Amino acid sequence: MDSPCILVCSIDPATGFCFGCGRTMAEIAGWTGYSDAERRTVMQGLPARLATIERRPRRETRRARMARERAGS
């Protein structure tokens, strides 16, 4: 199953979109129950959503930490 998740999992309070993937909490929660067509429809709109998010999370993301740890070893 395709998923836009990049392991950031932090919601922008201004837009309600995840900083990492752009989905809403409802979309994240219901993702496994969506049909392929529903997932494609949501995924097509994600780039535009992500462009509306101005602030990024302050904490280090798991993906960034893993990349940093790989680079250091």
Side-chain angles (χ1 to χ4, degrees):
M1 170 188 318
D2 288 338
S3 173
C5 181
I6 62 167
L7 305 176
V8 171
C9 306
S10 182
I11 302 297
D12 176 22
T15 63
F17 301 141
C18 174
F19 285 107
C21 69
R23 293 179 293 173
T24 64
M25 288 294 294
E27 290 167 341
I28 293 167
W31 195 253
T32 58
Y34 285 10
S35 68
D36 288 340
E38 289 170 317
R39 285 194 294 271
R40 275 192 300 275
T41 299
V42 171
M43 289 179 73
Q44 287 173 348
L46 297 180
R49 290 182 185 182
L50 288 169
T52 68
I53 299 174
E54 294 180 16
R55 185 179 66 82
R56 298 287 180 224
R58 287 178 277 178
R59 65 180 175 83
E60 181 179 38
T61 64
R62 186 165 75 179
R63 177 170 285 198
R65 186 184 76 245
M66 290 168 58
R68 180 178 47 80
E69 290 171 353
R70 276 193 303 272
S73 48

